[in-house]
Structure formats: structure tokens, C-alpha cells
Amino acid sequence: MTTRLIRFLLLSQFIFCVFTAATSLAQGDAQKKILARGYSDTHAENLKNLNSTSMDATAFVSSDEGTIYFSSIRKDGRDVLYRAKRKSLTEWGDPEVFVELPGKEQIGDISIAADGKTCVFYCSNRSDGYFKTADIYEGEIDGGELKNIHNLGKGINCEWWDGQPSISKDGQLLFFASDRKKGHGGMDIYMCTRNGSGTWSNPIDLAFNGSGNEMSPFISSDNQTLYFASNDMPGGMGGFDIYVTHRNGENEWSEPKNLGPAVNTKADEIFFMIPPTEDAVYLTSNREGGVGSFDLYRIVPNVVPPKPKFIAFRGRVLDAETGQAVRTEPDLTIEVSPSGERITNTGSARNYSAMAPIGKMIRVNAGADGYVNGSIEIPVPPEFDSAGFSQDIKLVPAKVKISGHVINAFTSGGIASTVVLHEDGAGPQTFSSQAPGGDYSFDAKVFSKYHVTVDLKDFEPYESPIEIPLKRQALISITKEIRLTPAGIPPVMVNFDYDKSDLVNPEAAKMVRFIEQVKINPNVRLEISGHTDEHGSEEYNLKLSTKRANTVVDYLLTQGVAQDQVAIVTGKGKAAPLVPETDESSRRKNRRVEVHIMGKQ
């Protein structure tokens, strides 16, 4: 590095060094992967979208690796701190100004402790500085802004140039560069420790400093490994190089070692930084091919891409009859066959997606309500293909069998009749039941809606919907017993006075003929439901309607109706009015008990 450049560094103070916390293990791994490689094993990437035609320095990647900080000298000669957000592993977004001080004040060399707030940096031309030279300051980062800026005082600063601070992860060590008198050479690196009171000790001129210039320290997260730049140490490759030394005592350091061709060139390399976990290191250099006089670089290993072990696999769960997606949400698993090792489905249930191991056999198992469970086995291609491969699985809809008997509701005997099954949107099916037991049966489809009708002379017309349950089996069997009520025995209805459950004689007389028919047909079963008008709460009316229904039951039993003929007794409150209520007459019609023969619709 030339004397002119050293003088420029001292005058311009453009260096921006951010250090954040990362585990010592992570930094150690990165060092082994990058620093142990030769020149042919690494390559340097110029961070072109961050660099300008001026001077840019000291890339720092935040602990979450989502932000990079750096410094740039603008055309007016003033230091400005920038930052940019990560767009991908190798790409950063457009830079934005992070800190710019007013007037002629300068700022740079920021270093941040692990808490993300405590930071140290250099400033010059401030009213609280010493002799208007560069001094080291302290501050806090709060809400993305630098606040509470204050000079660290004469214990650390002097009338000479002081800058490039690096604070340790735990905030207990402070390293910086200074050209003060009585040093080892031009610029030396100094260290301070934080006292119990929170103040800093007097600076110690580190023992490894040589007769040249040592600058831009970076303390690793282990508090023992220190990286720095020097232009006059053994093993140099030209200009300033990056060196590493390890602390063995209070001011005892191993012999500095040049990081070699993986990092250094015949040009100048300064401001080295290891990010928390990224397999890369960052530095500043004026090597050939840059954008400006000094640029930010990222050094990464030359990686031979490993042979892919997985290939993208995708497919759909389809209805085997329609060829469309299954109608109900399926359950799906993907596994390696025959080991049964599960593979994560990263798609949706109807459109699955996974990474399948190359050359293996995989099994897809799927099931959905209304379908027969299914599975397929697919051989994974033996070679990688960026397009991947696909295979749909088709589930067969379950079959439906509807069957039962046509029965006389009074005698419980079978009746020969014609049963008609109606499917929404399709023509009716008919089944002529001639067997003595009145047997009938139909084949149906799982996702259709049906109702069944019977129209037989001397019996009340019959119509009823049929619910088809969605089960995961090949055949869904539904039993539907059709009970026909002989014609001429209509239901009976009795009414009640307001808020009463007593059965008065005129109303009881309505049931005489009905009771006679029930008694001579012992197989008949009765359904009795109580009702109220709309006055009163739901809870009260439910109780009142139930009392009314039980009053009618008690009366039927006293008239000789058998107990086992009373099948269903319910109180429905005001939920099922017979007519709209406009006056007392209409309200009385709704205050009722209905008695039906079961099987009559």
C-alpha cells in the first residue's frame, strides 16, 4: 500500500467497519472453509450494486444475515454510512443512507456489540472532539437510528488520529487503530477493556504491532482471534494484506499469520469480516477490475455442485370416473417403498408435490370420503431432470346400494308395489316389488341426491329423501324401510287454551274414531307432537308443548291404546306454526297436538 493511500486513509476516514455477534463455531467453520483454501479454490465476487465509482469499504453482514452495512465517500469528500437488504444468498438490494452527520462532521468505523444496540465509531470535526481530529465515540442503535452520540474521552482519545474501532461480542473489549506517538510504527492497534463501572481502561499498544502500519482490526466472536491489515509483516503478498493472530494472555499474541492467496493479492486488502454463518468472507480491496478506487468483495469457495440426490415429483388426486379433482378433501401420504420412510408433501392435498430420492421406488397413498382408498407405486428416474416428473393417482367413487322393504304400517306385512327412485338431474328408476316381503333394491351413485316415492292404491302416497353417507369403502349399503299408511286414517289434531295443557272434552271427542282404528290395528305406531303459539320464550314453550303432548298420551292410554303403540312423543314449542298468527283464532290453531300414524308422510 502506498504512502499516498495511507495518508488518504488518515485524512478521509472513509473506513466503515461493522461487527456483529455470531457464534465462534460459525466463524470457525467459515474460516476453515474459506481461509484454508488456495487461490484456485476460491473466487472473489465484486458487490457491484453496492460499489460506486468513489471509495467503498468495510462490508458487514448483520447477525440475521439480512442486512449489509458499508461506507462510501461521496463526491463532496464526506463519509456516509449505507445499508442494504438481502434479496437472495448472493444478491443485495439497492443501498440507502444509514447515517449522515450535518455540516462538516464526519462519521465512520462503526462496530456493534451482540445486543444490537451498543456501538462504537469514529467522528471528526465535532465540537466535542479533541483538536478536531478523529476520535472514538459511543452510541446506541434504536429503531434503526443511531442515537446518544458521546465522546469516549481523553482516556481513549488523544490529539492524534484515533479510529477504526471494533467492539467484542460481549461488549467488554475495544480495539482501534491510532497513529499516536510512542507506538511501534506508523499506525498501531490498541486494546481497552471495560471496567466493572462500565468505563474503559487505558489503551494498550498490542505486542504484535510492527514498524509498518497495522490497522482495521476485527475481533472474532471468541474474543481471542483478531484479524487486521498490515503492509510490513513477514509473508506479505503486496501492499496491505490481511493477517490473523490469537490472544494467549493479557498482551500476549501469537505470531501474525498471513491469510494467504485465498484472501490476499498483490493489491491492497483491508477491512476483513466473517459473517455469522454464511460460507463466505468479506473485505475491501483495490484489486484490478473494480468499480471504484476501493470496492467491497465477497470471497466464496469454488464449489463443484454435488450430484443431485432428489428430483421434483408432483401429481393430482383425481376422480377415476370424471377425470376431475376428487370432490372431497383427500388425505395423502408419500413414502419410500418398501422402507416406509415418509416424504414431505409440500403441495396441497389435491395437488401434491415432493422431492423424491433418485432411483428409488415411492408409494402414494390417498383416501377421501366417498371414494375407495387407493395407492400407486412409481419408480423415480435414475438421473436428475430439472423438469422433474409427475404421476396422478385416481380414486374410484364408492358404489351405493339402496335396499329395504315396503311394509304396511298397520300390519307390518310386506306389500307388493312399485318403488321409484328419483335422482336430481336424471330420470327416475323403478323397481317392481312382487316378493311377499316387499323387497326392493337400487344401485345409486355416491355424490348424487335422491328421494324415493311409492304410489299404491288404498295407501297414502309416500315420499322421502335418502341420505347417502360419505364413507371410504367400496360399497355403501343403505337400508330404507318404507312404511305405507292405509288411506282413510288421517292424522288427528286437538287444540288447547292459551297457556293450558288440559285436554277439554270437545277436543278429546275428535279422537274417538282415530282411537278405534288404532286399537283394531295393534301394529300401528303413533307419533305425537306438541305445539304452542308464538307468545313466550322458547324454553317455556318447549316445556308447555311437551306437557300438552304428554296429556294426549295419557288420554290415549286411558282409552285402551297400548303403551307400545306410542312410539314418538316430542314437544316442538313454537318452532312449527301451522298458520301465521294474526288473531286469537289463528293463534288457537297453532296451540295444538298432532297425532300421526308412523310411516305416513
Side-chain angles (χ1 to χ4, degrees):
M1 187 173 186
T2 65
T3 302
R4 178 178 174 222
L5 183 52
I6 295 175
R7 183 180 300 112
F8 178 81
L9 291 174
L10 295 177
L11 293 175
S12 67
Q13 303 306 313
F14 76 97
I15 305 158
F16 170 48
C17 177
V18 180
F19 168 72
T20 191
T23 64
S24 60
L25 176 62
Q27 289 192 346
D29 288 345
Q31 181 183 358
K32 290 177 182 178
K33 293 177 181 178
I34 303 294
L35 307 184
R37 298 174 184 266
Y39 176 78
S40 62
D41 295 326
T42 61
H43 67 278
E45 298 176 350
N46 187 297
L47 303 181
K48 292 183 178 180
N49 68 311
L50 302 182
N51 293 316
S52 68
T53 57
S54 182
M55 307 181 82
D56 306 283
T58 316
F60 159 72
V61 180
S62 61
S63 58
D64 64 1
E65 300 192 351
T67 306
I68 188 170
Y69 298 85
F70 66 98
S71 177
S72 180
I73 295 182
R74 299 202 303 199
K75 292 182 179 181
D76 59 5
R78 298 180 62 235
D79 292 344
V80 178
L81 303 183
Y82 286 84
R83 64 185 171 192
K85 298 295 183 181
R86 187 186 287 276
K87 295 176 64 176
S88 67
L89 181 62
T90 59
E91 185 178 9
W92 298 97
D94 295 333
E96 63 179 8
V97 173
F98 174 49
V99 179
E100 178 181 7
L101 295 181
K104 295 182 179 181
E105 294 182 17
Q106 304 278 354
I107 185 170
D109 308 350
I110 190 168
S111 177
I112 309 169
D115 62 9
K117 295 178 59 178
T118 305
C119 58
V120 290
F121 43 91
Y122 108 91
C123 290
S124 64
N125 297 327
R126 285 177 60 91
S127 60
D128 56 352
Y130 298 104
F131 302 97
K132 300 298 186 292
T133 60
D135 285 345
I136 298 174
Y137 286 71
E138 190 172 21
E140 294 182 352
I141 295 178
D142 184 12
E145 297 181 0
L146 184 58
K147 301 178 180 179
N148 193 24
I149 298 174
H150 56 277
N151 194 299
L152 284 183
K154 291 184 178 180
I156 292 178
N157 296 306
C158 66
E159 66 270 23
W160 298 86
W161 180 87
D162 305 289
Q164 305 172 8
S166 176
I167 193 169
S168 62
K169 173 184 176 180
D170 59 9
Q172 300 303 303
L173 297 177
L174 174 66
F175 297 83
F176 64 93
S178 178
D179 64 349
R180 62 187 63 189
K181 289 183 177 181
K182 299 182 180 181
H184 287 78
M187 283 203 297
D188 287 346
I189 296 175
Y190 292 79
M191 180 183 74
C192 303
T193 58
R194 196 185 291 274
N195 300 318
S197 62
T199 59
W200 293 101
S201 67
N202 290 327
I204 299 174
D205 190 349
L206 298 185
F208 62 80
N209 286 312
S211 58
N213 294 286
E214 284 73 50
M215 54 182 278
S216 64
F218 175 87
I219 181 63
S220 181
S221 59
D222 62 4
N223 281 12
Q224 307 296 321
T225 306
L226 185 70
Y227 300 90
F228 63 95
S230 177
N231 66 342
D232 190 21
M233 280 194 169
M237 300 178 64
F240 270 81
D241 284 350
I242 304 298
Y243 289 79
V244 63
T245 181
H246 301 276
R247 186 185 183 191
N248 300 316
E250 182 177 359
N251 192 18
E252 297 179 13
W253 299 85
S254 65
E255 182 179 352
K257 181 179 180 181
N258 190 293
L259 291 187
V263 172
N264 295 311
T265 68
K266 64 181 180 179
D268 297 309
E269 279 73 44
I270 48 180
F271 312 119
F272 180 85
M273 185 265 173
I274 300 176
T277 61
E278 184 181 355
D279 190 7
V281 297
Y282 290 77
L283 53 79
T284 300
S285 178
N286 63 351
R287 60 186 65 182
E288 292 183 2
V291 177
S293 56
F294 272 84
D295 284 353
L296 308 176
Y297 287 85
R298 175 178 180 265
I299 297 179
V300 295
N302 292 327
V303 179
V304 177
K307 188 175 181 180
K309 297 181 180 180
F310 298 90
I311 186 172
F313 165 60
R314 66 191 68 85
R316 300 169 295 170
V317 184
L318 302 179
D319 185 308
E321 292 184 354
T322 67
Q324 303 298 313
V326 291
R327 294 173 180 247
T328 56
E329 188 72 11
D331 296 322
L332 182 138
T333 61
I334 307 172
E335 58 188 33
V336 179
S337 181
S339 69
E341 178 185 357
R342 286 289 183 91
I343 299 175
T344 301
N345 175 20
T346 58
S348 66
R350 288 184 174 90
N351 295 277
Y352 53 89
S353 177
M355 296 301 293
I358 288 176
K360 298 287 187 178
M361 182 75 73
I362 60 173
R363 176 190 291 270
V364 179
N365 305 300
D369 292 341
Y371 292 89
V372 182
N373 290 342
S375 65
I376 54 173
E377 285 199 342
I378 310 111
V380 182
E383 298 292 335
F384 178 76
D385 185 343
S386 60
F389 71 105
S390 63
Q391 179 67 58
D392 298 332
I393 182 171
K394 297 181 179 181
L395 300 184
V396 177
K399 301 301 180 183
V400 180
K401 176 71 74 174
I402 302 172
S403 61
H405 308 85
V406 181
I407 301 170
N408 186 318
F410 280 178
T411 67
S412 295
I415 304 174
S417 62
T418 298
V419 182
V420 181
L421 183 69
H422 303 265
E423 177 186 358
D424 287 3
Q429 299 182 53
T430 60
F431 186 94
S432 181
S433 172
Q434 301 299 331
D439 299 352
Y440 76 94
S441 66
F442 292 100
D443 292 327
K445 294 179 288 187
V446 67
F447 292 108
S448 292
K449 292 184 177 181
Y450 295 93
H451 66 278
V452 64
T453 61
V454 178
D455 193 359
L456 185 62
K457 184 180 178 182
D458 297 326
F459 287 88
E460 297 284 351
Y462 181 93
E463 181 177 357
S464 178
I466 295 180
E467 292 283 340
I468 298 179
L470 296 179
K471 299 180 180 180
R472 300 186 183 189
Q473 57 192 50
L475 179 64
I476 299 173
S477 296
I478 300 172
T479 300
K480 180 71 173 180
E481 298 295 275
I482 300 175
R483 302 177 67 87
L484 299 183
T485 302
I489 308 179
V492 66
M493 182 187 307
V494 294
N495 297 99
F496 290 79
D497 293 333
Y498 176 73
D499 202 29
K500 301 293 184 182
S501 60
D502 301 329
L503 183 64
V504 297
N505 288 333
E507 298 299 319
K510 295 179 181 180
M511 293 189 285
V512 172
R513 174 60 181 161
F514 182 84
I515 292 172
E516 291 176 356
Q517 293 174 307
V518 170
K519 290 168 66 176
I520 63 176
N521 292 281
N523 291 320
V524 167
R525 297 295 178 265
L526 305 180
E527 179 180 0
I528 301 166
S529 59
H531 304 266
T532 69
D533 61 26
E534 64 183 11
H535 290 286
S537 67
E538 287 189 15
E539 182 179 3
Y540 180 82
N541 281 322
L542 282 174
K543 292 179 180 178
L544 179 59
S545 63
T546 303
K547 288 176 65 177
R548 288 172 175 170
N550 287 325
T551 295
V552 172
V553 171
D554 293 342
Y555 179 76
L556 293 175
L557 296 179
T558 63
Q559 299 302 307
V561 175
Q563 177 72 59
D564 61 1
Q565 287 184 278
V566 179
I568 298 176
V569 181
T570 58
K572 298 185 178 181
K574 57 183 179 180
L578 192 64
V579 295
E581 296 186 10
T582 58
D583 52 23
E584 173 58 24
S585 175
S586 58
R587 284 192 287 273
R588 179 172 177 77
K589 290 179 181 179
N590 287 334
R591 298 194 296 266
R592 70 198 188 281
V593 169
E594 297 180 9
V595 185
H596 290 270
I597 303 295
M598 288 184 61
K600 181 178 179 182
Q601 302 303 303

